[in-house]
Amino acid sequence: MPYLGSEDVVKDLKKALCNPHVQADRLRYRNVIQRVIRMPKLDQWGQAEVLNFLLRYQPRGEDELFDILNLLDSFLKNSSPGVVMAATKLFLILAKKFPHVQTDVLVQVKGPLLAACSSESRELCFAALCHVRQILHSLPGHFSSHYKKFFCSYSEPHYIKLQKVEVLCELVNDENVQQVLEELRGYCTDVAADFAQAAILAIGGIARTYTDQCVQILTELLGLRQEHITTVVVQTFRDLVWLCPQCTEAVCQALPGCEENIQDSEGKQALIWLLGVHGERIPNAPYVLEDFVENVKSETFPAVKMELLTALLRLFLARPAECQDTLGRLLYYCIEEEKDMAVRDRGLFYYRLLLTGVDEVKRILCSPKSDPSLGLLEDQAERPVNSWASDFNTLVPVYGKARWATISKCQGVERHGPELPNAASFATAGPLIPEESKESVQELPDSGALVLVPNHQLTAECFEKTWLSLKVAHQQVFPWQGALHPNTFQMALQVVNIQTIAMSRAGAQPWKAYLSARDDRGCLFLTELLWEPENLQMQISVKQNKPRTEALNSFVSVLETVIGTIGDIKS
Amino acid sequence: MISQFFILSSKGDPLIYKDFRGDSGGRDVAELFYRKLTGLPGDESPVVMVTTGGGGRQHHDDRHFIHIRHSGLYLVATTSENISPFSVLELLSRLATLLGDYCGSLGEGTISRNVALVYELLDEVLDYGYVQTTSTEMLRNFIQTEAVVSKPFSLFDLSSVGLFGAETQQSKVAPSSAASRPVLSSRSDQSQKNEVFLDVVERLSVLIASNGSLLKVDVQGEIRLKSFLPSGSEMRIGLTEEFCVGKSELRGYGPGIRVDEVSFHSSVHLDEFESHRILRLQPPQGELTVMRYQLSDDLPSPLPFRLFPSVQWDRGSGRLQVYLKLRCDLPPKSQALNVRLHLPLPRGVVSLSQELSSPEQKAELREGALCWDLPRVQGGSQLSGLFQMDVPGPPGPPCQGPSSSAPLGLGPAGLSFELPRHTCSGLQVRFLRLAFRPCGNTNPHKWVRHLSHSDAYVIRI
């Protein structure tokens, strides 16, 4: 149990979050929450924890929601970044359905975030930058006027510089593009090669919108004749030409001469591709490719040879006279001498293709040379705030979404073993969430429908016998996303007096569980849960020993609440 | 909630290791972490993921390592939960401050001398991975071990002493070294430690375009307090009365001192702030940041340095001549210390010939850049240096004649410096009054210092 300053805090917190009577009475509820929040003894760690707990509470209506938001407003101005971020997350999640409130919150938190970005603690600065990037995904213009805050300084460590370059690339707009590009150009000549390359890639990213300026800068960089710069610039050009065909002319003029400064596989591939696809506009393209063919024996990367084959064949279609001889030599080499099977097969394939006639080759090989729609698609990837609200103030933005996905995948669901001893604490969502479902259970007696008997015990054999003797009375499918934590699930079910007879171990696919419950009138409900992660759904099949539809429906709704609550939190 | 906490020396030796939850793979995670860190290209990012489960499909032991670097040490927390990075980083820096408070200064030596004390502290601060309290106040009731201080403090030993507050390039400007002893060590000699240090520290980041126009000014200021007084003794800090917050507020006559944003520590009472710019607080013993403020874009005073570069480059012969004139625009009585100009040069430059305007300066080539050291620059003075280098030219067609345009790869110039007794925003502490009645025979000593130093002072060429 985290220490929250005093026992009273914990008591009040429990009252506020769990007690349905308090929740039903808005005024009382408000008072309790207010007391919890205003707790004077709560230090910043306690405050952050409390804000985390409040995440689990679902307000019932708009009024209540805005009540809570008003009460919490002061936390957004706290001096500790941890508390501010916890409060921001709570706001974003509570105001799920009110995008304008979310935007307001993000505006309010801009100041603290920017302060953290220029904080003296490098590590804090890094975390803040990651979150800035996350916000920029949804609100691209959000930090545009503060672009100067994201300029790198010489003494900063690498991980901060790389983040800042990414941020700069994302916040660029008509007003600041000139300054941002000038700053980025400075980074391109940095001593550290990977930082310089990151800056060039960033310019390439900006070039999708502000093509002319960027292509000019990139062309100037080629003049440096530095290997590590030239290779990245050429790769950037390749991507750019594909997305923005209008810059093809400029790129083609810049290319001659680059081949002397490219040694690595990636750069060579990019250059050869460009020469092949746009060779008719580059006067010396056949001769550059010829050089590559001359040296093909000493070429170590098969990928480069494959690229060379395709490029030369394409160029042959455009300028047959100059390429025929070279192509012949290359095909001969690939088929007769090459040891790499993939390259050899490609050579054979092209050879046979050529035998069918040039028109056929043209039909197959000449695809469109650019695809601007791809760029548009990428631009539209602005994600709504809700898609990352639950990741805010966690490690997800720090790792980046893609890396996080691989990490959590290999982490698997087995992770939750060590938490068992802690079952009684707040940390395992256990005692808090189910209260909501208990509330629905407790509401039901008023209508006289369903009361599940606590401490109902059924042995496994007895269950099996009954299960086999009965028919399925009800079957339903619920959506379920994200991982599943059996322990949490079991605990939640226990609170609503549903006994777990057996369940598969965590991570099993498909995952199954068998549950049983008895109501006060002796009706027995036996349930099978079937979870198939691929389909993102949870199938329930309920059997009962007395045919009572009303009770069955109430039981299913109880189950639905539990599944809904747990699914919501864990996803 | 964190699983483990450990401190590594800069060489990777574990100094402190504490497992809070018993769900870990044991001590060797520290080593794994260090290997991972040093294996990363470039600098290490503060959050890394290490798989300790080895091969196979068992990934029980995967965990996140979140670390900060503080005075050459790695303070690392591990967790298997997806927790808030801000809270953990804050906790780690708070721990660093606490350890500093208890052991004097934080460093490899002090930590290894005070292992017992550090473990005792960790036991109180964290329980089962949850934070209990980090307030010095509460903790002092539980901590019994005395800190072992390396050697008796001597006034002559100024070189090894850090200025409290600012982590400057070379902190040799401290007038007193008393700040680097433990806050809470000896219970016996209460009377000796009636000292209060108050620092106004500003970090300046500036970007100047090649035509001399100012592109960006950013001042991050802090008022930091280190108190050796008994907790709960009240003090009042008076700031400059013309101090105003936000763009619109106007106070006093004349230019005024304006900042954009201010945030205060939660123990500060602001009832007299509106009327008289007085902060009232009852600080706990140890360090705390009383106030933070930011100021961007318009400074009341001129920038401390201006640089007038002129570059002559003869493309044909590859001869590069850089003439730098550095003008210090501080008031004549102030001075800047440890000024260093760092100018990245085009690749391949080897030889350097120099003509400097005074003998105490020094210039050398280091890591492909020109470093020009000026130990002391008086306000209003002007210094210059003429540097000649040979740049191995590209094999392309030589251009004819000398050109004044800079070759690619030259610049931007970065300056680093310290300005003692000077704040760029103009904020001053008017007074520091203590309501504390000394129980001993001595009045408390009060040290108030102002300091600005450069965070990034970049001039494009």
Side-chain angles (χ1 to χ4, degrees):
Chain A
M1 167 74 68
Y3 182 72
L4 294 175
S6 76
E7 290 299 310
D8 299 345
V9 183
V10 180
K11 234 181 270 168
D12 275 345
L13 191 61
K14 276 189 174 161
K15 220 190 283 170
L17 294 170
C18 310
N19 190 333
H21 298 299
V22 176
Q23 284 177 5
D25 185 347
R26 242 189 81 197
L27 212 62
R28 259 179 85 191
Y29 175 74
R30 198 190 138 95
N31 283 340
V32 171
I33 287 230
Q34 196 155 21
R35 261 219 312 288
V36 171
I37 298 169
R38 295 278 153 79
M39 210 51 79
K41 281 180 193 161
L42 223 54
D43 56 3
Q44 51 162 319
W45 318 110
Q47 287 172 349
E49 290 283 356
V50 165
L51 289 169
N52 257 341
F53 296 150
L54 286 177
L55 277 178
R56 302 197 183 135
Y57 180 72
Q58 287 275 324
R60 296 239 202 93
E62 245 174 76
D63 294 345
E64 192 182 316
L65 172 84
F66 286 108
D67 265 358
I68 297 180
L69 295 190
N70 286 332
L71 284 174
L72 293 172
D73 201 49
S74 62
F75 283 104
L76 288 176
K77 298 187 182 70
N78 200 293
S79 66
S80 143
V83 175
V84 175
M85 294 308 146
T88 311
K89 178 174 184 177
L90 182 61
F91 268 70
L92 291 180
I93 287 186
L94 285 183
K96 229 184 299 188
K97 298 193 182 96
F98 305 93
H100 62 280
V101 177
Q102 289 181 325
T103 317
D104 282 354
V105 172
L106 291 176
V107 169
Q108 273 203 56
V109 86
K110 205 149 105 175
L113 255 182
L114 283 173
C117 284
S118 43
S119 133
E120 210 166 350
S121 154
R122 308 275 191 217
E123 292 81 10
L124 202 62
C125 182
F126 175 76
L129 283 170
C130 292
H131 282 80
V132 165
R133 278 183 65 192
Q134 183 80 77
I135 293 177
L136 278 175
H137 281 312
S138 300
L139 308 165
H142 200 60
F143 290 95
S144 290
S145 50
H146 301 274
Y147 65 95
K148 285 176 189 167
K149 297 253 181 194
F150 301 104
F151 285 180
C152 305
S153 77
Y154 185 78
S155 53
E156 275 166 345
H158 242 70
Y159 53 84
I160 289 188
K161 284 185 184 172
L162 294 179
Q163 289 295 330
K164 282 192 170 175
V165 166
E166 294 277 321
V167 170
L168 280 177
C169 175
E170 275 165 45
L171 56 66
V172 95
N173 66 8
D174 288 349
E175 280 155 36
N176 58 26
V177 63
Q178 210 54 48
Q179 284 82 6
V180 169
L181 281 178
E182 201 166 321
E183 182 73 14
L184 284 175
R185 182 168 59 182
Y187 306 155
C188 294
T189 49
D190 197 274
V191 214
D194 56 342
F195 177 50
Q197 294 181 338
I200 296 171
L201 289 177
I203 294 182
I206 296 174
R208 289 175 194 178
T209 338
Y210 303 95
T211 314
D212 294 343
Q213 291 142 297
C214 296
V215 171
Q216 198 193 338
I217 292 178
L218 292 172
T219 312
E220 280 170 25
L221 287 173
L222 285 178
L224 280 176
R225 295 165 182 276
Q226 304 259 321
E227 239 169 65
H228 70 279
I229 294 179
T230 309
T231 164
V232 182
V233 171
V234 170
Q235 289 171 49
T236 314
F237 275 157
R238 175 193 53 192
D239 300 344
L240 205 55
V241 163
W242 185 253
L243 296 176
C244 316
Q246 70 271 21
C247 66
T248 313
E249 198 57 47
V251 168
C252 290
Q253 279 170 12
L255 278 182
C258 306
E259 69 276 359
E260 293 162 24
N261 298 304
I262 297 184
Q263 295 301 328
D264 65 321
S265 146
E266 291 288 319
K268 275 185 189 168
Q269 285 178 54
L271 179 65
I272 293 173
W273 185 87
L274 278 168
L275 291 174
V277 174
H278 298 285
E280 76 274 9
R281 303 199 201 184
I282 307 169
N284 69 340
Y287 310 104
V288 177
L289 288 182
E290 192 175 358
D291 280 346
F292 277 111
V293 173
E294 302 270 284
N295 301 323
V296 76
K297 277 181 194 159
S298 52
E299 179 59 60
T300 43
F301 306 103
V304 174
K305 295 178 192 169
M306 306 260 258
E307 198 67 64
L308 191 58
L309 266 168
T310 315
L312 201 54
L313 192 58
R314 276 197 184 129
L315 196 60
F316 168 71
L317 296 176
R319 301 162 76 166
E322 292 156 293
C323 298
Q324 191 175 9
D325 180 47
T326 326
L327 181 62
R329 270 187 287 152
L330 182 64
L331 281 176
Y332 179 82
Y333 167 79
C334 287
I335 296 168
E336 296 291 327
E337 294 176 38
E338 177 58 41
K339 296 208 176 62
D340 189 285
M341 280 307 148
V343 178
R344 192 161 164 262
D345 286 348
R346 178 76 63 94
L348 271 171
F349 169 68
Y350 284 147
Y351 176 69
R352 288 174 194 144
L353 192 61
L354 280 168
L355 288 182
T356 63
V358 173
D359 291 337
E360 190 67 10
V361 181
K362 267 191 186 147
R363 200 175 61 79
I364 290 176
L365 216 60
C366 292
S367 43
K369 293 183 176 181
S370 63
D371 188 4
S373 61
L374 201 64
L376 287 179
L377 274 182
E378 275 181 21
D379 277 348
Q380 281 167 354
E382 271 169 38
R383 280 177 288 156
V385 176
N386 283 332
S387 68
W388 49 261
S390 57
D391 292 338
F392 197 79
N393 195 26
T394 66
L395 296 177
V396 181
V398 175
Y399 281 110
K401 198 121 192 166
R403 259 193 78 203
W404 179 259
T406 53
I407 288 173
S408 44
K409 202 195 241 164
C410 77
Q411 262 180 316
V413 249
E414 308 233 355
R415 153 73 358 102
H416 285 260
E419 254 184 41
L420 257 187
N422 199 20
S425 99
F426 277 58
T428 46
L432 282 180
I433 318 131
E435 293 298 340
E436 254 181 273
S437 23
K438 190 189 265 174
E439 157 204 325
S440 63
V441 179
Q442 283 175 352
E443 272 168 10
L444 288 171
D446 303 337
S447 60
L450 178 81
V451 177
L452 294 178
V453 187
N455 303 326
H456 141 80
Q457 297 292 340
L458 195 68
T459 60
E461 296 88 55
C462 184
F463 178 90
E464 199 179 335
K465 214 186 288 169
T466 328
W467 176 261
L468 290 175
S469 68
L470 292 172
K471 275 191 202 146
V472 175
H474 182 90
Q475 205 160 33
Q476 200 174 344
V477 171
F478 299 116
W480 181 283
Q481 283 174 328
L484 187 141
H485 308 301
N487 297 327
T488 321
F489 207 84
Q490 186 170 8
M491 239 159 4
L493 289 168
Q494 207 143 28
V495 175
V496 290
N497 299 327
I498 299 179
Q499 184 200 355
T500 314
I501 304 289
M503 56 166 76
S504 352
R505 60 175 188 81
Q509 290 185 2
W511 183 86
K512 277 186 186 181
Y514 292 94
L515 319 169
S516 93
R518 188 195 295 275
D519 77 352
D520 53 350
R521 287 180 235 170
C523 182
L524 202 59
F525 300 95
L526 306 181
T527 314
E528 181 197 53
L529 300 181
L530 178 66
W531 176 54
E532 288 173 89
E534 309 92 71
N535 304 343
L536 300 176
Q537 58 191 24
M538 170 89 72
Q539 186 192 339
I540 64 163
S541 324
V542 186
K543 300 182 179 183
Q544 65 183 148
N545 61 352
K546 296 176 188 171
R548 291 219 313 266
T549 335
E550 210 175 297
L552 179 69
N553 288 342
S554 334
F555 177 75
V556 170
S557 78
V558 170
L559 212 53
E560 186 179 353
T561 322
V562 176
I563 291 175
T565 322
I566 306 255
D568 258 2
I569 294 218
K570 288 298 170 189
S571 59
Chain B
M1 179 196 66
I2 62 177
S3 306
Q4 292 150 304
F5 171 80
F6 49 88
I7 301 180
L8 294 184
S9 74
S10 51
K11 294 190 195 71
D13 309 319
L15 302 174
I16 299 289
Y17 171 87
K18 177 100 184 135
D19 190 343
F20 292 106
R21 299 176 64 85
D23 58 353
S24 66
R27 226 164 226 279
D28 51 336
V29 291
E31 199 183 317
L32 261 168
F33 164 74
Y34 187 72
R35 235 185 291 151
K36 178 96 179 172
L37 265 195
T38 45
L40 284 175
D43 273 313
E44 61 283 0
S45 113
V47 181
V48 288
M49 172 83 192
V50 177
T51 307
T52 53
R57 290 189 49 76
Q58 288 296 312
H59 289 285
H60 262 290
D61 281 345
D62 289 5
R63 59 196 59 245
H64 310 283
F65 290 77
I66 301 171
H67 80 274
I68 62 169
R69 281 202 74 167
H70 205 286
S71 26
L73 300 174
Y74 294 97
L75 280 79
V76 193
T78 77
T79 177
S80 48
E81 296 276 301
N82 189 7
I83 48 170
S84 154
F86 290 98
S87 297
V88 179
L89 290 172
E90 252 185 298
L91 174 65
L92 289 176
S93 29
R94 177 64 197 152
L95 274 175
T97 322
L98 263 182
L99 294 178
D101 278 355
Y102 274 90
C103 309
S105 59
L106 192 60
E108 204 176 324
T110 39
I111 293 291
S112 44
R113 266 193 297 276
N114 291 298
V115 170
L117 174 63
V118 174
Y119 278 117
E120 198 177 348
L121 257 174
L122 285 177
D123 276 337
E124 298 299 338
V125 170
L126 288 149
D127 176 41
Y128 206 60
Y130 292 102
V131 185
Q132 305 262 29
T133 178
T134 54
S135 102
T136 333
E137 204 86 340
M138 303 262 268
L139 286 171
R140 69 175 313 191
N141 301 324
F142 306 115
I143 304 297
Q144 302 300 328
T145 320
E146 297 265 325
V148 184
V149 187
S150 56
K151 46 192 165 194
F153 146 69
S154 111
L155 256 181
F156 301 105
D157 195 19
L158 277 178
S159 62
S160 66
V161 168
L163 165 63
F164 156 67
E167 277 177 37
T168 50
Q169 285 79 24
Q170 283 159 345
S171 320
K172 288 181 185 167
V173 279
S176 156
S177 64
S180 66
R181 61 193 163 81
V183 177
L184 301 148
S185 66
S186 38
R187 283 147 202 273
S188 47
D189 51 358
Q190 285 283 344
S191 58
Q192 282 184 14
K193 14 185 252 180
N194 289 334
E195 280 187 306
V196 181
F197 295 84
L198 188 69
D199 276 8
V200 182
V201 182
E202 293 189 348
R203 290 185 297 136
L204 187 64
S205 54
V206 172
L207 180 64
I208 300 172
S210 47
N211 60 4
S213 65
L214 197 59
L215 290 179
K216 159 189 157 182
V217 189
D218 228 352
V219 178
Q220 307 275 329
E222 277 183 348
I223 299 184
R224 295 201 222 173
L225 180 77
K226 184 163 184 173
S227 160
F228 290 86
L229 300 178
S231 297
S233 51
E234 191 180 288
M235 61 176 74
R236 283 149 44 103
I237 303 170
L239 304 178
T240 322
E241 290 210 50
E242 292 85 29
F243 182 70
C244 24
V245 181
K247 296 265 183 236
S248 52
E249 198 183 4
L250 229 143
R251 249 166 206 278
Y253 305 97
I257 291 153
R258 185 185 301 279
V259 300
D260 292 342
E261 257 180 81
V262 182
S263 65
F264 298 97
H265 189 263
S266 53
S267 70
V268 179
H269 301 281
L270 294 171
D271 39 0
E272 285 177 87
F273 182 70
E274 269 311 307
S275 50
H276 297 105
R277 297 300 182 208
I278 293 173
L279 309 174
R280 201 158 56 76
L281 71 161
Q282 297 181 335
Q285 281 193 327
E287 263 188 68
L288 89 165
T289 304
V290 177
M291 181 174 117
R292 268 181 231 274
Y293 54 95
Q294 285 117 42
L295 165 65
S296 47
D297 287 341
D298 38 56
L299 273 188
S301 56
L303 284 172
F305 286 104
R306 275 186 295 166
L307 182 75
F308 305 96
S310 72
V311 179
Q312 291 271 320
W313 187 33
D314 185 1
R315 245 179 233 266
S317 63
R319 175 139 290 242
L320 177 66
Q321 183 175 313
V322 181
Y323 180 67
L324 298 174
K325 198 163 75 176
L326 186 69
R327 197 179 152 69
C328 180
D329 286 334
L330 291 172
K333 281 184 183 167
S334 319
Q335 58 179 4
L337 297 175
N338 301 325
V339 182
R340 161 173 288 188
L341 188 137
H342 180 275
L343 180 71
L345 297 174
R347 279 198 174 212
V349 169
V350 271
S351 64
L352 172 74
S353 70
Q354 44 182 301
E355 285 170 44
L356 302 172
S357 60
S358 69
E360 55 175 16
Q361 305 169 22
K362 231 173 36 189
E364 56 181 342
L365 284 177
R366 198 181 298 158
E367 292 166 2
L370 169 71
C371 285
W372 183 21
D373 285 322
L374 309 124
R376 191 174 292 262
V377 180
Q378 201 65 34
S381 66
Q382 188 165 304
L383 300 161
S384 61
L386 179 69
F387 307 96
Q388 289 194 335
M389 290 144 278
D390 283 323
V391 184
C399 292
Q400 56 283 9
S403 71
S404 55
S405 72
L408 280 158
L410 179 72
L415 268 178
S416 66
F417 51 82
E418 289 161 26
L419 309 173
R421 293 181 289 287
H422 180 87
T423 52
C424 295
S425 64
L427 179 69
Q428 303 275 338
V429 172
R430 271 189 299 152
F431 59 81
L432 169 63
R433 277 183 206 141
L434 307 173
F436 165 72
R437 281 162 204 78
C439 46
N441 45 4
T442 47
N443 270 327
H445 290 290
K446 299 178 285 190
W447 304 93
V448 179
R449 287 175 289 196
H450 298 88
L451 176 92
S452 299
H453 62 107
S454 61
D455 187 32
Y457 198 97
V458 180
I459 303 146
R460 287 190 190 149
I461 289 187

